Amino acid sequence: MKNQELARIFERIADALELKGETGFRVLAYRKAARVLTDLTEDVAELDRENRLETVPGIGSGIAKKIHEYLATGKMKKLEEVTAGIEPGLFALLDIPGVGPRTVKLLNDKLRVKNIDDLKRVLMDGSAAQLPGMGKKKVENILKGLEQIERAGSRMYLNEAFELAELIIEYIRSGSDAKEVIAAGSLRRGRETVGDLDILATGSNPQQIVHRFVTFPMTRQVLSAGETKASIVIASANGLRQIDLRVVEPETFGAALQYFTGSKDHNVALRTLAQKMGLKISEYGVFRNDRRIAGKTELEVYQAIGLPYIEPELREDRGEIAAAQENRLPVLVRQEDIKSDLHIHTTASDGSSSLIEIVRAAQQLGYTHIAIAEHSVSAGYAGGLTADQLLSRCDEIDRLNENLKKFRILKSAEVDITPDGKLDYPDSVLARLDLVIASIHQAFNRDATRRVCNAIEHPLVHIIAHPSGRLIGKRPGYDINLEKVIECAAQNRKILEINSYYERLDLNDVWARQAKEAGVLIAVNTDAHSVSDLSWMRYGVMTARRAWLTRNDIINCLSLAQLMKLLARLRQSS
DNA sequence: GCCGTTTTCGGCCCGACTGTTTTCAGTCG
Ligand SMILES: Nc1nc2c(ncn2[C@H]2C[C@H](O)[C@@H](COP(=O)(O)OP(=O)(O)OP(=O)(O)O)O2)c(=O)[nH]1
Ligand SMILES: [Mg+2]
Ligand SMILES: [Mg+2]
Ligand SMILES: [Zn+2]
C-alpha cells in the first residue's frame, strides 16, 4: 500500500512550499491530505482505480490527479517542481523546535546554510546572530532546540505517558492551589503514542501554578513561561520529554479542556462549524458577539453548537462531527463493561505469575472469567507447551474450576501458525480447548496473509491474536494484507484481537474500526505475562473506543454463558 | 488545494509567548 508513502510526499510538498516562502492555505491543504491518507485503511490504489479518491474529505481533484500520476508513473511533477532548488538538508532543520520555514529560508538565503552542520557553524561563529530579526537569544534558543531533538526520545508509549502525567499532576496539585489538574492532548484521546504531555490546570492564581510547574525537579529546559501557559523539557529515562501546561479560570474549564484535548483537526472542524453559526469557539468559551454563552463544561461547548457530547477518543476529525450532527455516535465501550481477559500467560510458559495469582487478580478486577493461553510447541523460546503438557494443564484447570465460585477459567492456547501455514497442535488437542487463539510468531514475511486466512478458516480456531504483528516504533509487522484478513474473518465469523500491550495495540484504532464495519467481532486482551500486566486492559479499551466500538462489538463484554455459546456456535458453523 | 442547508468564488480556527519589533513576525499549542 502506497498510502503512507504518498502522505510523506504531500508533507514534503507542504514543507517545500513553505521553504520557498509560500504561507497560504494551499500548504494546509497538502498537510490535511497527508493526514487523511495516514488515517486511511483502504488502499489508495483501489480508490484511484475506482475513481473514488475525491470522496475522501480533504482530497480534491488536484490531489487526486497527483496521486494517480504517482501511482501510474512512480513520479509526481509537482513534487519535483517544488523541491527543485531546495537543498535536501534543509528539511531536517524544520524539525528543530523553535525553527520554522522563515528562519530556515533566512539562514539559507543569507548564510548559505545547507544542513545541520552548517547551522551549528553559523550559530557558533556569531554570523547567525547578525541577521535581521535574529539576535543572541534567538541563537541560544536554536541551540537549545538542537539539544532537544538530539536527545529527544521518540514518541512515548501510553504506559510511560500515563505514569509521567500522574507524576507531574501530583506535583502541581501538591504545591499550588490549583483546583483541577488534568491530562489533555493525545494522552486523553488515547492515541497509541504520545508526543508530549499536555496538562490543563484551573485556578485563580495562574502565576503560582506556572511557577510551581517550571520548578518541577526533572526540568531540563524552560521553553516558555507566560501568564497562562508554559512549556518545559524534562530529562526522563528514555530521553528528553516536553510537557505543556495551560492554566485558565475555573469558569472556562470546559472550553479549555476541549481546546487542549484536540485533536487540532477536530478543533479546527468544530470552530469552523461554530463560525458558520455566527459563533466563536476558543479555549475561553463559546461566544456570540463577544458574549460568552458556554464554557464551564465540555458538554456545554458541544451543546452550544447543537451537538451531543463527543468522547475524547473520537476527536480525530475522522467523521465524528458529521456523526454527531446526525446523532449516530456510538455508545463507546467502557472499562466497566469488560468482564473477561481472554489471552493470559502464566509460569507454565513464559509468564511470571502463577495461575492462582492470575485468578485472584482477575477476580479483584471484577472479571467473571479469563482464558489462559500459553504458547504452543514450536515456541520453544517462550516455554511453549507440548501437546501432553497442554492436556494435563487442561485437567488441572478443570479441577481448579470445580473449586472456584462465580468464576471460570477457560482452557485456551496461543497456537503458533507455523511457517507452512499449519497450526501447532493436532485437531484432537485443539478440540479439548474452550477457546483457540492463533497467531504468527515466526516467518513474518512468508505468505502471512495466506497463513492467517488458513488459520481463520480452520474450524477449531476462534481468535487471531495481534493480527498485524507490528511493534510500535520497533518493527513494522508482518507483510500482511489486513483488508483480506478482515474480509476472511467476516466470512468465517471469526474474531480479531486488539492486543492491549502498549507496544502492540494490534489491531490498531483504524483497523479495528474497519473490522467492525465489516461485521467482525473484536476481543480486547492484555496478553498479560504477569499480574500487573492485566492493567494493560486500559490501553486496549482506549484503542477500542478510538475504533468506535460499543460493548456489543467486543466479546470480552459477554457474560460467561453468552461467550461459551458464541464459541460453540463458531465451531458448529464452520 | 479544498469546499459549499448561506457560496462553484472567496473564504479557510483562534490565541499565547518570545525576541528585537518601534508596531509585529515567527513559531507553537
Ligand atoms: N485550535 C487549535 N488547537 C490546537 C492547535 N494545535 C494544537 N492544538 C490543541 C489541540 C491539541 O491536541 C492540543 C495539544 O497540542 P499537541 O501539539 O501537544 O498535540 P497532541 O497532544 O494532540 O499530539 P502529540 O501526541 O502531542 O503530538 O492543543 C491549533 O493549531 N489550533
Ligand atoms: Mg501533546
Ligand atoms: Mg503539546
Ligand atoms: Zn500471547
Side-chain angles (χ1 to χ4, degrees):
Chain A
M1 251 180 20
K2 295 256 159 73
N3 298 27
Q4 307 305 326
E5 193 175 321
L6 279 156
R8 282 195 297 275
I9 287 175
F10 290 125
E11 271 295 338
R12 188 86 167 179
I13 290 176
D15 284 346
L17 286 170
E18 287 194 314
L19 287 173
K20 288 198 161 161
E22 179 152 348
T23 56
F25 295 97
R26 183 183 283 109
V27 174
L28 294 179
Y30 279 114
R31 292 202 198 284
K32 171 141 189 191
R35 201 214 86 223
V36 300
L37 284 172
T38 306
D39 287 349
L40 213 60
T41 51
E42 207 171 352
D43 191 342
V44 270
E46 191 175 325
L47 288 170
D48 178 45
R49 256 196 314 279
E50 296 169 5
N51 257 319
R52 288 190 292 122
L53 276 172
E54 289 180 52
T55 63
V56 180
I59 297 181
S61 61
I63 301 263
K65 272 208 192 73
K66 293 177 178 71
I67 291 174
H68 179 81
E69 177 196 357
Y70 186 74
L71 292 174
T73 68
K75 289 185 175 185
M76 196 186 295
K77 263 220 214 81
K78 181 75 180 179
L79 175 69
E80 288 164 16
E81 209 175 282
V82 296
T83 54
I86 298 181
E87 287 293 337
L90 292 183
F91 292 94
L93 301 190
L94 295 171
D95 294 336
I96 304 167
V99 176
R102 310 299 308 206
T103 307
V104 175
K105 187 171 188 310
L106 181 74
L107 291 164
N108 179 247
D109 286 349
K110 303 281 191 214
L111 298 176
R112 312 260 50 113
V113 167
K114 296 186 175 66
N115 50 48
I116 299 244
D117 286 336
D118 288 351
L119 173 65
K120 284 181 183 161
R121 182 173 44 73
V122 301
L123 291 173
M124 302 307 279
D125 72 13
S127 53
Q130 303 303 315
L131 295 174
M134 299 279 291
K136 230 176 119 182
K137 280 282 184 75
K138 274 258 171 73
V139 167
E140 266 173 39
N141 285 337
I142 296 174
L143 284 168
K144 280 204 232 169
L146 276 166
E147 191 207 355
Q148 201 185 332
I149 49 165
E150 277 168 6
R151 299 201 39 229
S154 43
R155 295 174 60 87
M156 286 174 268
Y157 294 120
L158 277 175
N159 71 321
E160 182 190 345
F162 273 114
E163 278 168 26
L164 185 57
E166 206 172 303
L167 211 65
I168 185 81
I169 286 171
E170 185 46 38
Y171 172 81
I172 296 170
R173 278 217 182 99
S174 63
S176 72
D177 48 23
K179 196 160 158 258
E180 309 260 8
V181 187
I182 181 177
S186 52
L187 179 59
R188 182 161 182 251
R189 302 198 310 279
R191 251 190 92 173
E192 63 189 32
T193 62
V194 175
D196 67 356
L197 294 188
D198 302 287
I199 307 294
L200 175 68
T202 64
S204 42
N205 191 351
Q207 308 269 17
Q208 177 214 36
I209 299 171
V210 166
H211 179 259
R212 174 72 178 168
F213 175 66
V214 299
T215 53
F216 185 56
M218 297 164 80
T219 302
R220 175 77 193 229
Q221 296 179 21
V222 177
L223 297 178
S224 68
E227 305 275 307
T228 68
K229 70 182 206 180
S231 292
I232 60 174
V233 174
I234 65 154
S236 85
N238 299 319
L240 299 184
R241 304 286 188 207
Q242 184 171 334
I243 310 180
D244 296 330
L245 173 75
R246 191 69 207 254
V247 188
V248 296
E249 294 283 335
E251 282 313 294
T252 64
F253 174 68
L257 183 59
Q258 193 290 312
Y259 150 72
F260 215 25
T261 297
S263 65
K264 170 183 181 283
D265 290 309
H266 174 85
N267 287 354
V268 170
L270 211 62
R271 289 168 179 212
T272 304
L273 181 65
Q275 212 182 30
K276 286 179 187 149
M277 302 171 67
L279 301 172
K280 181 184 74 171
I281 301 181
S282 75
E283 59 267 50
Y284 298 109
V286 183
F287 298 86
R288 175 179 284 129
N289 307 325
D290 289 343
R291 217 174 61 81
R292 191 166 83 209
I293 61 167
K296 179 95 176 127
T297 65
E298 285 191 313
L299 178 62
E300 260 187 35
V301 172
Y302 285 101
Q303 285 181 339
I305 55 170
L307 299 180
Y309 179 73
I310 301 178
E311 302 273 8
E313 292 92 337
L314 297 181
R315 303 180 194 169
E316 295 287 348
D317 191 31
R318 293 175 179 167
E320 72 279 5
I321 293 177
Q325 285 175 311
E326 295 158 22
N327 246 313
R328 50 176 180 80
L329 285 174
V331 179
L332 298 182
V333 62
R334 294 166 307 154
Q335 192 144 3
E336 308 89 86
D337 297 327
I338 301 290
K339 298 188 170 74
S340 62
D341 190 337
L342 301 173
H343 179 170
I344 300 174
H345 300 265
T346 72
T347 45
S349 64
D350 61 346
S352 59
S353 298
S354 69
L355 177 56
I356 291 296
E357 289 170 324
I358 292 286
V359 168
R360 296 226 173 89
Q363 288 173 325
Q364 282 292 312
L365 288 170
Y367 297 158
T368 55
H369 49 295
I370 57 173
I372 295 298
E374 311 288 9
H375 291 286
S376 60
V377 188
S378 58
Y381 58 91
L385 273 54
T386 63
D388 280 347
Q389 286 171 323
L390 177 59
L391 290 173
S392 54
R393 181 70 161 173
C394 288
D395 294 337
E396 188 188 341
I397 289 176
D398 283 340
R399 283 195 301 274
L400 198 54
N401 272 330
E402 284 175 24
N403 296 321
L404 286 172
K405 294 202 174 65
K406 297 190 173 178
F407 192 86
R408 172 83 166 267
I409 307 164
L410 273 65
K411 301 182 290 279
S412 181
E414 182 175 15
V415 185
D416 251 47
I417 300 171
T418 61
D420 57 1
K422 301 251 162 41
L423 292 179
D424 212 13
Y425 291 119
D427 288 1
S428 59
V429 173
L430 297 180
R432 175 81 197 276
L433 301 174
D434 300 308
L435 170 66
V436 174
I437 302 171
S439 57
I440 287 186
H441 290 98
Q442 43 179 323
F444 286 3
N445 296 329
R446 195 179 316 164
D447 217 2
T449 308
R450 191 57 248 149
R451 286 158 66 206
V452 167
C453 287
N454 274 350
I456 289 172
E457 285 160 6
H458 190 293
L460 294 173
V461 167
H462 297 105
I463 300 178
I464 300 297
H466 44 76
S468 86
R470 62 114 176 227
L471 286 181
I472 301 169
K474 294 189 174 163
R475 68 167 197 228
Y478 326 128
D479 183 6
I480 196 166
N481 183 336
L482 288 177
E483 274 184 294
K484 287 234 172 73
V485 169
I486 288 170
E487 189 186 313
C488 184
Q491 269 168 14
N492 292 276
R493 306 210 179 293
K494 296 296 171 73
I495 297 150
L496 297 178
E497 182 183 69
I498 292 178
N499 189 293
S500 306
Y501 174 44
Y502 50 82
E503 291 190 17
R504 286 195 186 270
L505 296 175
D506 178 9
L507 295 174
N508 70 9
D509 51 4
V510 290
W511 282 111
R513 184 177 175 186
Q514 174 81 20
K516 173 197 170 147
E517 278 165 14
V520 174
L521 284 174
I522 298 290
V524 183
N525 292 327
T526 61
D527 201 354
H529 285 65
S530 74
V531 161
S532 63
D533 297 350
L534 294 171
S535 66
W536 295 342
M537 185 59 79
R538 177 183 194 179
Y539 315 133
V541 168
M542 287 191 101
T543 302
R545 290 165 61 85
R546 291 173 61 80
W548 295 47
L549 303 192
T550 72
R551 61 183 181 195
N552 298 326
D553 302 315
I554 297 174
I555 65 165
N556 309 69
C557 302
L558 297 174
S559 69
L560 174 63
Q562 291 169 322
L563 176 65
M564 296 309 281
K565 224 170 104 183
L566 172 73
L567 297 178
R569 196 168 65 227
L570 285 188
R571 285 187 169 169
Q572 279 160 14
S573 65
S574 26

